[in-house]
Amino acid sequence: MFAGLRGVRRADLPREIAAGITLAALAIPLNIGYAQIAGLPAVVGLYAAIAPMLVFALLSSSRQLVASPDAPIAALIASLLGALAVAGSENYVELAYAQALVCAAVFLLFYVFKLGFLANFLSEPVLVGFIAGLAVEILTSQVKKILGITTTSEEFFPEVWEIITKIPQAHWWNVLIGVGTMAVILGLRRLAPALPGPLIALVAATAAVAATGLNSKGVSVLGSVPSGLPTPHFPSGVTLGQWASLIPGAIAICAVTLADGLLTARRYAEQHDYRVDGNQELRAFGAGNIAAGLTGSMTIGSSASRTAAMDSIGSRSQIPSLVCAAVVAILLAFFSDLLAYLPNAALAGIVAVAVIKLIDVRKLADLWRLRRSEFWIAVVCLLGVPVLGSLSAVVIAFLLSAVDMVRRASKPSTAVLKPGPAGRYIRAHEPGPGPAVYRFEGPLFFANADTFKTEILALETTDVVLDAEAISDVDTTGAEALRQVEAQLSAAGRRLVVARATGDLRDLLTHYEFELTHFDSNEAAVAGVRSGESPDPGPQGG
């Protein structure tokens, strides 16, 4: 319990508290921006930095992982809830609270049944393309805010074209504020990276709007934010059907959070030599989202960027998250009026800078260079998110990954072997006289069973030794192919024996009721076949 607070000495407290103030400076503008992306009131994003962040910090085994709303989660919420209610409506907001509770249930189910490993099925190409697609979708919405325009198109490419054609109609004060905010953040990131660039840029833009009255000249501002702390609230007006419709989206949110969050937590734990418990992180995310759903907040996940920021300034505990929650609570309790003049274009600029790095061009280039099929899977997912919707894109990309995996597995590496140095067997271009040694590298299953059968039966030799060292599994289709091979070789007066099979594979073949002769090495198998003898168990060999 409270593992994330361990290891802090009294001398470390000033540094940890200062890190917490910096975290609050990052969280305030970003949480407001992500709430807007999700189609939610700004205060919903700020509430996420109080109770949910506190609960996660107290339960997390990671000393550094920061839990908060992030760009992918905000975009997913907007995509998922937009099909159920009008963005910004009362029912939409209640659905957002319900979404947090459904996400909590999924996280806790993963925790109870130890299902965190399922996040591994979201392959890197899918994850890279999916997050880049969400970033493209977010950037499109932020460009509209910076330009100060609205669009009527609901489909992605027509909307992009409409934005381009409406550039001459842009509100240039909005553009100046948005672009200026981005310039300040990027400039401070290069010249003074220790300073909270987003907060400085937002304060400057807000002061400029308040001092010059630009809000009366068409510059869009945040407006009044309710003061006071969040109060307990259970989602109301959500039908049973709507609760059920939130489940697929919750699974998608949890999968993305686990794939990103657990990887980030493990990376920093390894760097700083402490242990992180993935299952405990599931519980912490579940409890944090219960707090979110019951205190008028939006779903929380992990933030790699804020975690990196805390690490870079020397934080080694969850104290900054506790300090951040206190700072945001004080802001909402006593100073919420200061938020009224925040220009939406500045918030859009802050979010745009935050999400642009989610388009990992270097990783896409690596995929193109290393494996083209995975590059195209990433591209399908990238384009699928804004065009088809996030869930459809993930499903399609996942299916493409599965098809690509089966395609590769259907053509495993195989070889005919011949005697080589030191009694080991090496690859040969064609079988020599006597028994052929055939090596099959991979599980023998439905996708490659025909290849296995065809290649063995094509060997024009007397007997066949199956080098089974690399066969990790055999399904029923593979077993049937092996049975047919054995029968056809036997009918031709030829013999099939197995060499180098693992104990598990031998047990599996026995379970399938095979009575094959097994040898511990290829050399022993060839000698045994030539002499017609049964195996004489010896040391494992090649």
Side-chain angles (χ1 to χ4, degrees), residues 71-72 75 128-142 351-352 354-360 382 385-386:
V128 168
F130 178 70
I131 292 178
L134 290 174
V136 169
E137 194 171 43
I138 292 169
L139 285 172
T140 302
S141 65
Q142 301 314 295
V351 171
V355 302
I356 191 68
K357 58 188 175 185
L358 297 180
I359 304 175
D360 196 337
L382 190 161
V385 170

Side-chain angles (χ1 to χ4, degrees), residues 525-540:
V526 170
V529 168
R530 281 177 172 162
S531 65
E533 297 176 355
S534 295
D536 179 16
Q540 187 80 9

Side-chain angles (χ1 to χ4, degrees), residues 419-461:
R424 301 192 68 83
Y425 274 68
I426 60 176
R427 292 174 181 266
H429 294 294
E430 58 184 30
V437 180
Y438 174 77
R439 180 175 173 85
F440 189 87
E441 299 181 353
L444 177 56
F445 72 121
F446 65 90
N448 58 32
D450 188 64
T451 298
F452 173 83
K453 182 171 63 176
T454 301
E455 290 190 353
I456 288 187
L457 294 178
L459 294 172
E460 297 179 353
T461 60

Side-chain angles (χ1 to χ4, degrees), residues 5 26 43 47 53 67 90 92 103 122 162 164 249 260 272 316 422 453 459 497 502 521:
L5 303 179
L26 294 171
V43 73
Y47 284 168
M53 181 176 272
E90 183 177 349
Y92 185 96
C103 284
L122 199 62
E162 188 175 355
I164 294 172
D260 184 41
H272 301 294
R316 299 293 181 266
K453 182 171 63 176
L459 294 172
V497 300
T502 63
S521 70

Side-chain angles (χ1 to χ4, degrees), residues 199-512:
L199 184 66
I200 292 173
L202 190 61
V203 168
T206 303
V209 170
T212 59
L214 286 175
N215 57 307
S216 62
K217 299 178 182 178
V219 172
S220 173
V221 295
L222 186 62
S224 61
V225 174
S227 62
L229 299 178
T231 55
H233 172 80
F234 189 83
S236 61
V238 181
T239 66
L240 185 61
Q242 288 176 324
W243 281 101
S245 65
L246 294 173
I247 295 174
I251 294 173
I253 290 173
C254 293
V256 172
T257 299
L258 291 182
D260 184 41
L262 292 186
L263 180 64
T264 301
R266 287 169 183 162
R267 182 163 62 242
Y268 286 105
E270 290 170 1
Q271 286 181 6
H272 301 294
D273 195 26
Y274 65 87
R275 182 177 175 274
V276 67
D277 184 344
N279 207 42
Q280 190 172 334
E281 296 307 294
L282 293 174
R283 184 182 64 174
F285 278 121
N289 277 299
I290 289 175
L294 297 180
T295 59
S297 171
M298 61 191 290
T299 303
I300 63 164
S302 65
S303 174
S305 60
R306 280 175 252 193
T307 303
M310 293 300 95
D311 180 71
S312 68
I313 58 180
S315 172
R316 299 293 181 266
S317 79
Q318 287 287 352
I319 289 176
S321 290
L322 306 183
V323 173
C324 174
V327 171
V328 175
I330 292 170
L331 172 70
L332 285 174
F334 302 107
F335 305 105
S336 63
D337 291 345
L338 297 177
L339 303 174
Y341 285 97
L342 295 185
N344 286 316
L347 291 169
I350 290 169
V351 171
V353 172
V355 302
I356 191 68
K357 58 188 175 185
L358 297 180
I359 304 175
D360 196 337
V361 177
R362 179 176 297 177
K363 179 60 68 175
L364 289 169
D366 287 344
L367 290 175
W368 173 264
R369 180 171 53 87
L370 298 174
R371 193 180 287 272
R372 296 288 172 87
S373 61
E374 293 190 353
F375 168 81
W376 289 115
I377 289 170
V379 169
V380 167
C381 204
L382 190 161
L383 295 177
V385 170
V387 174
L388 302 174
S390 53
L391 282 183
S392 298
V394 168
V395 170
I396 291 172
F398 179 81
L399 290 175
L400 287 174
S401 293
V403 169
D404 185 53
M405 180 186 68
V406 172
R407 179 187 64 81
R408 295 199 305 269
S410 68
K411 299 177 180 178
S413 177
T414 62
V416 176
L417 306 181
K418 65 179 182 180
R424 301 192 68 83
Y425 274 68
I426 60 176
R427 292 174 181 266
H429 294 294
E430 58 184 30
V437 180
Y438 174 77
R439 180 175 173 85
F440 189 87
E441 299 181 353
L444 177 56
F445 72 121
F446 65 90
N448 58 32
D450 188 64
T451 298
F452 173 83
K453 182 171 63 176
T454 301
E455 290 190 353
I456 288 187
L457 294 178
L459 294 172
E460 297 179 353
T461 60
T462 53
D463 302 306
V464 177
V465 175
L466 173 61
D467 181 342
E469 181 192 30
I471 300 179
S472 57
D473 189 25
V474 179
D475 72 358
T476 55
T477 307
E480 181 60 26
L482 181 58
R483 205 177 305 279
Q484 291 174 13
V485 166
E486 183 187 23
Q488 291 187 44
L489 289 178
S490 178
R494 301 163 66 188
R495 189 179 179 194
L496 174 70
V497 300
V498 179
R500 309 178 74 192
T502 63
D504 287 343
L505 181 60
R506 291 191 187 198
D507 292 341
L508 183 59
L509 293 178
T510 300
H511 174 72
Y512 284 139

